[in-house]
Amino acid sequence: PVQPLSLNMFGNSAPPPPPDYAAEIDGLLNAALHPAGPKPSLEERENVVRNLQQKLRSEKDSLIPGDGRAALVYQNQLNRYLLLLDQVKSERKVQMLTMPAPAQRDATFARPIDSTVATRPH
């Protein structure tokens, strides 16, 4: 579907607003923290963490200063994300400690999780 073109005050077309990932982020967090059915593998959950990092960064960058509700929603999502990140990191650490030495070496080269998502809204 074609989205209507919005115009700025000069009559020029305005760029589309940044995507709103709030509902998608909530869905990913709910599925990761409270899976319906068997718990996803560690690798699958690490991929969800990476995906959430990107979406949370976009969501943070799109926050409008002074929008207290949006900041509160973002902070709640960030807190839930950090809980998931801690769970995934802990599980990875346990897995590394229980692996035989050659497997540890191979797992060391797995794509690391970036934990630099900001902890506070703007």
Side-chain angles (χ1 to χ4, degrees):
V2 176
Q3 293 186 356
L5 187 63
S6 58
L7 301 177
N8 63 19
M9 66 182 179
F10 302 109
N12 300 324
S13 61
D20 179 9
Y21 291 120
E24 187 177 353
I25 290 169
D26 281 334
L28 289 168
L29 285 165
N30 288 339
L33 291 168
H34 311 288
K39 184 177 178 180
S41 71
L42 178 58
E43 184 177 333
E44 290 170 323
R45 290 181 318 137
E46 286 173 333
N47 287 333
V48 168
V49 165
R50 286 184 197 93
N51 190 6
L52 282 165
Q53 287 172 348
Q54 293 171 351
K55 292 188 184 320
L56 283 165
R57 279 193 188 108
S58 291
E59 196 70 11
K60 180 181 181 276
D61 292 343
S62 70
L63 288 176
I64 298 170
D67 187 344
R69 183 187 178 292
L72 189 62
V73 167
Y74 171 78
Q75 189 62 52
N76 182 46
Q77 290 173 332
L78 184 62
N79 291 340
R80 293 175 65 213
Y81 162 79
L82 292 172
L83 176 66
L84 174 63
L85 179 62
D86 285 345
Q87 290 174 0
V88 168
K89 282 183 169 184
S90 294
E91 192 172 329
R92 172 58 71 194
K93 186 174 185 177
V94 167
Q95 188 181 61
M96 293 293 291
L97 292 173
T98 59
M99 281 184 187
Q104 282 182 358
R105 185 186 67 240
D106 294 341
T108 304
F109 297 107
R111 217 163 98 199
I113 295 173
D114 176 15
S115 58
T116 60
V117 173
T119 57
R120 292 187 204 111
H122 296 157

